[in-house]
Amino acid sequence: MSYSLFSHGGGLFLLRYFHVLAGIVWIGHLYYFNFVQGAFFAETDAATKSNAIQKLVPRALWWFRWGAMITMITGVLLYMGNGNYIPNNSPALTITLGMALGLVMWFNVWFVIWPNQKIVIQSATQVAQGGQALPTAAAAAAKAGLASRHNVLFSIPMLFFMLGAQHLGIAVNPEYNMGVFFGIFFAILGALEFNALKGKLGPLTTVKGVIHMGLFLTVVFYLMLEILTK
Ligand code: HEM
């Protein structure tokens, strides 16, 4: 008796299953930090905020960063398992855009948000124990918040393209000018990521603003797909 999961297709299915499960953990915590915790910290008293930073935030950051790591690893393995690498057809092109956004988000989690949040947690713990706040804590909190808010922006087109790979058939001319298409795509993504590392929140300051900008970015990338791949 053969079991469907114990086949190449079954293996890819399990990868896809754990990919989406880990993705829910990751993005779920990203939206919690940006849509819930931020507003609460702005309103609550200093003692409650300090307690939360010492005892709640580290727990949430553990699930957040390891959710991101498992999503990334299963995603890359899925990509390798699919074997459809040249972005001259709709599934390969769409998932390439989704993966570019996802990998930038993963980088921001592990190399910007987590290192800076560790400074914020350390400083709050030191103050609670009667010590001095770390002089870098305020800047670290701002850097983590900026990168995190940009991850919300990127998450909206990212998920559009993740699902689009198998469920949105774009009529792609295999001879389209990839240089122009990816030149524009990576110029936009690069400029936004530069702002995520060195810039300002601007229209992303409010939850409403980041959701609207995320939907707008999705429309821009979708129209690029429809217009520049013919
Ligand atoms: C580093 C980040 C990521 C990488 C490298 C990645 C990679 C991939 C790949 C290669 C696929 C398969 C596409 C195909 O079916 O041809 C995929 C599908 C998918 N990914 Fe991701 N992904 C990433 C992040 C995420 C995140 C954060 C989520 C959020 C929940 C997500 C949700 C999905 C979904 C829902 C699918 C489609 C499953 C289907 O159509 O059956 N991915 N991803």
Side-chain angles (χ1 to χ4, degrees):
M1 176 135 150
S2 70
Y3 287 47
S4 54
L5 278 183
F6 301 123
S7 63
H8 181 258
L12 280 180
F13 168 79
L14 280 178
L15 262 181
R16 205 180 292 276
Y17 170 70
F18 287 113
H19 179 65
V20 176
L21 201 59
I24 291 168
V25 171
W26 174 14
I27 304 302
H29 280 85
L30 173 71
Y31 292 168
Y32 157 73
F33 288 133
N34 281 272
F35 300 164
V36 180
Q37 183 179 283
F40 171 72
F41 277 4
E43 282 176 22
T44 195
D45 58 276
T48 304
K49 183 176 175 183
S50 171
N51 214 18
I53 290 174
Q54 294 172 68
K55 298 182 182 125
L56 172 68
V57 173
R59 286 183 171 89
L61 284 169
W62 188 90
W63 288 100
F64 173 68
R65 67 182 186 277
W66 288 110
M69 187 61 83
I70 295 169
T71 306
M72 189 278 286
I73 293 171
T74 52
V76 169
L77 290 174
L78 253 177
Y79 184 68
M80 293 160 66
N82 275 349
N84 182 5
Y85 307 126
I86 314 293
N88 63 1
N89 60 80
S90 182
L93 176 53
T94 314
I95 200 56
T96 303
L97 304 188
M99 286 177 66
L101 289 156
L103 290 167
V104 168
M105 291 168 64
W106 171 82
F107 171 88
N108 286 342
V109 170
W110 278 89
F111 299 101
V112 184
I113 298 169
W114 172 229
N116 281 294
Q117 284 287 13
K118 280 197 280 190
I119 296 169
V120 174
I121 295 163
Q122 176 64 29
S123 183
T125 307
Q126 280 180 202
V127 171
Q129 293 165 351
Q132 289 296 312
L134 291 174
T136 52
K143 278 190 190 141
L146 183 64
S148 184
R149 193 52 61 97
H150 278 76
N151 270 9
V152 174
L153 174 76
F154 296 145
S155 72
I156 296 168
M158 178 277 302
L159 199 61
F160 180 90
F161 294 124
M162 288 290 143
L163 285 166
Q166 294 301 327
H167 310 289
L168 178 68
I170 306 278
V172 175
N173 169 1
E175 312 297 321
Y176 78 95
N177 190 327
M178 275 187 212
V180 168
F181 181 90
F182 283 104
I184 298 172
F185 175 77
F186 283 113
I188 296 172
L189 183 56
L192 289 169
E193 178 61 6
F194 182 79
N195 192 61
L197 302 175
K198 304 280 180 201
K200 292 188 171 41
L201 280 170
L204 311 184
T205 305
T206 64
V207 171
K208 194 173 160 196
V210 69
I211 293 173
H212 287 176
M213 292 307 290
L215 293 170
F216 174 70
L217 189 60
T218 306
V219 170
V220 169
F221 286 153
Y222 170 70
L223 289 177
M224 279 176 57
L225 266 180
E226 288 289 10
I227 297 167
L228 298 176
T229 65
K230 298 298 175 267

